[in-house]
Amino acid sequence: MDTVHKVLEPVPDPVVVNDSAEAKPKRKKLKGKRAVVRWLKFFRFKKKKDYERMTAEEKILFKLRKARRKEAQLVEALNKIEPKESSETTHDPEILTPEEHFYFLKMGIKSKNYVPIGRRGIYQGVILNMHLHWKKHETLQVIVKTFTPDEVKEMAVELARLSGGIVLDIQGKDKDTIIMYRGKNYSQPPTEIMSPRVTLPRKKALDKSKYRDALRAVRRHITALEQDLELLRAKAEKNVEVDAETQLSDSDIAEPEELSSIKLEATQKLKELVKNDKYNEDNDHSVTGSELNSDSEDLSDIFETDSETDEDKDEKPLYLDEFEKFPVERNEVEEDFEEHLRRISAKSKKEKDLEPYFDEVDRVVLRAASLLKKKR
């Protein structure tokens, strides 16, 4: 970049003084191809930086200006390429009866001779081919591609005017096939009529199609840019309204002094709530203690009543219920009581195979139990 700036440094231009005393500054010419390339690179770099610094709206406006400039250039080029001679040729088609129209239309649908029309549109070669086909055939199919149905209708009128034929119908799924009839009293015209100067030659027709396609694309691009610009401006207006609302809401908010007073009131209320909670907890503890005492007294009363009822009942000897389960034989001798106990133990499920072993204490207890039962 230093070298570029050195090359692009302005040099004081010499002033040439004429007799008329008019000063005309001389522009310094760039010497050499490298200097020109450097200047162009610097110019492009500068333009790129300027574009990056723009806002979103400025970028869209810049693109719009550029597109409209290009549109004007394309319109001017199309006007230049159009033929200078006027195409005001008179066309007086013959009148056909319905039967003739139906007959020639059916013949044209069945015929296989056709003339294609591509992106160039109508030019001198198309009219010449039509007349060459009409030399041996009465009807003809003109197949049009890359055009809309409305444009096909306009082209059918143009073909009838330039060739002198009759348009019978537009057929096909996409309405792209024109069926034409040469006329009743047809005679092959001279070459000036077969390839009229009103139409463009092949090369210029191709250039015209390029300009036309470019013009369509530019107009589509312009409409899209205008829509984007409208949306951007609408968003900006909404953002302005939102900012105004936020400012109003900020103004409605209390001042800092009022905020501090509100905070103090809130803290006092919190303290009061905490004190109330502590007082309620103490009351709860006292209530629970009294309730526990009353419960314990009730339990003691219950146990006292149970004990009194037990004392009122007749006192029974210890393990008497267990001893009652054993069968007693009153007629037997006391010495045979041990054998009887052995038999009972043998019958038990837990100690089937083991012989019972009794201590002296056990024997005394068993004898006492048997004696008590005998007394009863």
Side-chain angles (χ1 to χ4, degrees):
M1 291 305 296
D2 293 335
T3 55
V4 171
H5 285 298
K6 284 177 184 177
V7 171
L8 296 173
E9 279 179 358
V11 180
D13 298 327
V15 178
V16 179
V17 180
N18 295 333
D19 297 334
S20 59
E22 292 180 356
K24 290 184 179 179
K26 270 191 179 182
R27 186 173 62 188
K28 185 183 178 183
K29 292 182 179 180
L30 297 169
K31 293 181 180 180
K33 196 173 181 179
R34 288 184 180 177
V36 174
V37 170
R38 283 174 187 168
W39 183 81
L40 287 171
K41 283 182 178 178
F42 176 74
F43 184 70
R44 287 170 188 163
F45 176 77
K46 190 179 178 183
K47 267 198 160 185
K48 186 179 177 182
K49 289 294 177 185
D50 291 340
Y51 181 77
E52 287 175 357
R53 291 190 196 100
M54 291 179 186
T55 61
E57 189 175 356
E58 288 175 352
K59 284 179 182 178
I60 293 170
L61 290 170
F62 174 74
K63 289 177 183 177
L64 262 175
R65 286 195 295 271
K66 196 174 178 182
R68 281 170 182 161
R69 218 180 300 129
K70 194 172 182 180
E71 184 186 9
Q73 289 174 1
L74 290 168
V75 170
E76 190 179 352
L78 278 170
N79 292 331
K80 281 182 181 178
I81 209 168
E82 288 289 340
K84 293 179 182 179
E85 295 182 8
S86 63
S87 60
E88 295 176 358
T89 56
T90 57
H91 177 57
D92 187 13
E94 297 175 359
I95 297 168
L96 298 174
T97 61
E99 291 83 6
E100 289 174 345
H101 187 276
F102 177 77
Y103 172 72
F104 290 124
L105 181 60
K106 198 171 182 182
M107 189 190 299
I109 291 167
K110 287 183 179 180
S111 65
K112 294 182 180 179
N113 51 323
Y114 69 94
V115 174
I117 293 178
R119 62 177 295 183
R120 290 182 177 85
I122 298 169
Y123 63 99
Q124 293 176 359
V126 174
I127 308 298
L128 181 62
N129 285 336
M130 287 173 70
H131 284 288
L132 291 174
H133 275 288
W134 280 337
K135 188 176 181 180
K136 294 182 179 179
H137 304 282
E138 290 182 340
T139 57
L140 172 72
Q141 290 183 7
V142 181
I143 298 169
V144 184
K145 299 291 183 184
T146 68
F147 288 97
T148 61
D150 295 332
E151 290 174 345
V152 171
K153 289 178 183 177
E154 293 176 2
M155 291 176 78
V157 174
E158 188 74 13
L159 285 170
R161 186 176 60 80
L162 291 171
S163 63
I166 300 166
V167 178
L168 297 173
D169 196 10
I170 298 172
Q171 297 285 328
K173 292 181 180 179
D174 301 329
K175 297 291 181 182
D176 58 352
T177 304
I178 305 166
I179 297 167
M180 297 191 72
Y181 172 57
R182 67 183 182 180
K184 291 179 182 177
N185 303 318
Y186 175 77
S187 61
Q188 194 170 6
T191 54
E192 292 179 358
I193 296 171
M194 285 201 300
S195 57
R197 292 179 182 177
V198 174
T199 57
L200 293 170
R202 194 173 178 216
K203 189 178 179 182
K204 286 189 176 180
L206 182 62
D207 295 338
K208 183 183 176 181
S209 70
K210 287 177 181 177
Y211 293 145
R212 187 174 60 243
D213 295 341
L215 186 62
R216 286 176 187 166
V218 166
R219 282 174 178 167
R220 253 185 268 122
H221 184 55
I222 286 168
T223 53
L225 287 172
E226 286 174 351
Q227 289 175 0
D228 293 341
L229 188 62
E230 288 176 1
L231 288 170
L232 191 67
R233 284 174 177 171
K235 285 181 182 178
E237 289 176 359
K238 285 183 181 178
N239 291 332
V240 169
E241 291 176 359
V242 170
D243 292 337
E245 289 176 359
T246 52
Q247 287 176 3
L248 289 170
S249 62
D250 293 338
S251 63
D252 294 337
I253 293 169
E255 293 179 354
E257 293 179 358
E258 295 177 356
L259 285 171
S260 60
S261 63
I262 290 164
K263 286 180 180 178
L264 288 169
E265 290 177 0
T267 50
Q268 289 175 1
K269 287 181 180 179
L270 284 170
K271 287 177 182 177
E272 290 176 0
L273 290 170
V274 170
K275 287 178 181 178
N276 292 330
D277 291 336
K278 287 181 179 178
Y279 180 71
N280 292 329
E281 284 177 1
D282 295 335
N283 291 334
D284 292 338
H285 285 303
S286 63
V287 170
T288 51
S290 62
E291 287 176 354
L292 288 169
N293 293 327
S294 62
D295 292 337
S296 61
E297 289 174 359
D298 293 336
L299 289 169
S300 63
D301 294 337
I302 290 163
F303 288 122
E304 284 175 2
T305 54
D306 291 339
S307 61
E308 288 173 359
T309 53
D310 291 335
E311 287 174 358
D312 293 339
K313 291 180 182 179
D314 296 332
E315 292 184 0
K316 293 183 179 180
L318 191 62
Y319 303 117
L320 189 59
D321 296 332
E322 296 295 330
F323 293 129
E324 284 178 355
K325 294 178 183 178
F326 296 103
V328 179
E329 293 179 1
R330 295 177 182 177
N331 298 322
E332 291 181 358
V333 187
E334 293 177 3
E335 294 178 359
D336 299 330
F337 187 70
E338 292 180 3
E339 292 179 1
H340 178 66
L341 289 175
R342 285 171 187 170
R343 288 173 192 171
I344 292 166
S345 63
K347 290 178 182 179
S348 63
K349 295 180 181 180
K350 294 181 181 179
E351 298 179 355
K352 289 182 180 180
D353 299 330
L354 297 172
E355 292 182 2
Y357 175 76
F358 294 98
D359 295 336
E360 292 180 358
V361 177
D362 294 331
R363 288 174 185 173
V364 169
V365 171
L366 289 170
R367 283 180 184 178
S370 64
L371 288 169
L372 286 169
K373 284 182 180 180
K374 285 178 182 180
K375 285 178 181 179
R376 288 180 183 179

